[in-house]
Amino acid sequence: MVGNIVSLQWLQDQLGSNHVRIIDCRFNLADPTMGFNDYLDGHLPESIYFDLNKDMSSEISEHGGRHPLPNVEEFTEKLAAAGISSSTTVVAYDDQGGAFASRLWWLLKFVGHEKVFVLDEGYSAWINKGLPVTKEIPFFEKSVYVPNLQEQMIATLADVQDSIKTKQSQLIDSREEIRYRGIEEPIDKIAGHIPGATNFFWKEVLNGAKWKNKVELETHFSTIGKDKEVIVYCGSGVTACPNVLALNELNYRNVKLYPGSWSDWITYPENMIATDK
């Protein structure tokens, strides 16, 4: 295993291993109950379900965006309840191009987990290849999980504000272009982007549902230097994670996520807003 992505065949070969834990991260922003209902209808063998809102986020407040990071103690307790320890190999999957699986990947990296991967192509590809699914919900003996927080993975609001002034960081906006340019904003109250940010729509790290290879990714991110800090954001800190993962694949070593992202940025009236209509 090299990097952060594993193939369908690799995961199929691991079924039955006590050292591998599979996490179903399917979710629908328009219908928050759909992901869990889909899981109940069928999922990869031995997989358990993690919900974006309930397990990978905390309660919404005035600031912090639409998907604030979960409480670390509560998150690691859920990992322990799933039988995950720091030595477990974790594979996350979804059916949305890796957006939500990448969020779980990032959270596990943040708490210091080393062996965590995203399943290439996702659930539909697994089904289309005729690989096994089940409705059985597994039970695992509870483990102990001790986090080792990687605080350097986070860019705070102050970090982003400072990056605008100093231009020492490269800002990446992961939303689709129409939202980045401020032409249309279907979710948040204010349209536009953080001044100085460059638009790299997160789905462009994919060819369909399959992750691009390293040569393709190098071309895609060729304008982003590896010698500067990179701060990545999206609408609420979720779809920025595929870009963070892709940059990690290319050995960018100073990449940070702004967890609150655009939905946090606009809650501060003093923050500047850029548009490109």
Side-chain angles (χ1 to χ4, degrees):
M1 296 185 304
V2 178
N4 304 295
I5 307 295
V6 293
S7 69
L8 299 171
Q9 183 62 58
W10 183 90
L11 186 57
Q12 182 188 17
D13 292 343
Q14 306 308 309
L15 294 180
S17 171
N18 291 328
H19 304 294
V20 176
R21 194 71 71 244
I22 306 170
I23 310 294
D24 187 318
C25 302
R26 285 177 289 172
F27 193 80
N28 187 308
L29 292 170
D31 181 359
T33 65
M34 182 179 291
F36 183 58
N37 288 334
D38 287 345
Y39 171 79
L40 294 177
D41 286 340
H43 49 265
L44 271 62
E46 304 157 21
S47 66
I48 59 175
Y49 185 73
F50 268 45
D51 185 279
L52 173 64
N53 288 345
K54 298 176 182 177
D55 302 317
M56 293 187 271
S57 307
S58 59
E59 293 292 328
I60 297 174
S61 58
E62 181 182 2
H63 301 297
R66 287 183 278 106
H67 292 104
L69 295 183
N71 174 276
V72 170
E73 183 176 343
E74 293 177 0
F75 179 66
T76 53
E77 179 65 22
K78 290 172 182 177
L79 295 177
I84 297 172
S85 68
S86 59
S87 63
T88 305
T89 296
V90 178
V91 179
Y93 73 88
D94 59 34
D95 209 17
Q96 291 83 16
F100 306 116
S102 295
R103 166 77 167 206
L104 183 63
W105 170 88
W106 187 92
L107 287 171
L108 280 161
K109 288 290 186 181
F110 176 62
V111 299
H113 204 88
E114 294 184 2
K115 294 184 288 186
V116 54
F117 305 90
V118 170
L119 179 65
D120 199 10
E121 301 182 83
Y123 185 76
S124 288
W126 181 276
I127 292 288
N128 292 338
K129 288 185 180 293
L131 298 176
V133 295
T134 183
K135 292 187 177 183
E136 181 179 349
I137 299 176
F139 171 80
F140 300 102
E141 185 176 347
K142 187 175 181 180
S143 68
V144 175
Y145 199 100
V146 180
N148 178 23
L149 292 188
Q150 305 297 303
E151 298 284 0
Q152 77 280 1
M153 291 176 58
I154 286 182
T156 65
L157 172 70
D159 291 333
V160 180
Q161 292 170 329
D162 187 61
S163 75
I164 297 173
K165 298 175 184 177
T166 65
K167 296 180 170 47
Q168 295 300 306
S169 302
Q170 301 174 98
L171 278 173
I172 289 180
D173 186 314
S174 305
R175 299 170 300 162
E176 56 188 322
E177 182 182 9
I178 197 169
R179 294 180 66 195
Y180 165 80
R181 294 179 61 189
I183 296 172
E184 182 179 306
E185 181 47 67
I187 302 174
D188 294 307
K189 295 180 179 179
I190 299 174
H193 62 266
I194 299 174
T198 304
N199 187 215
F200 284 86
F201 183 34
W202 73 271
K203 286 189 177 181
E204 292 174 353
V205 303
L206 305 169
N207 286 320
K210 189 173 181 62
W211 288 75
K212 289 181 176 178
N213 61 42
K214 288 189 178 182
V215 173
E216 293 171 313
L217 290 175
E218 286 281 10
T219 300
H220 179 58
F221 289 112
S222 61
T223 59
I224 303 297
K226 294 186 179 181
D227 58 334
K228 293 177 69 175
E229 176 183 83
V230 182
I231 298 175
V232 188
Y233 75 92
C234 56
S236 64
V238 177
T239 56
C241 294
N243 272 339
V244 175
L245 187 153
L247 290 165
N248 186 277
E249 285 282 289
L250 300 176
N251 295 315
Y252 285 77
R253 294 305 179 198
N254 194 10
V255 180
K256 299 184 177 184
L257 173 71
Y258 172 28
S261 288
W262 181 249
S263 56
D264 174 62
W265 183 260
I266 60 176
T267 62
Y268 296 89
E270 68 272 21
N271 283 342
M272 296 182 290
I273 292 170
T275 58
D276 182 20
K277 298 181 180 180

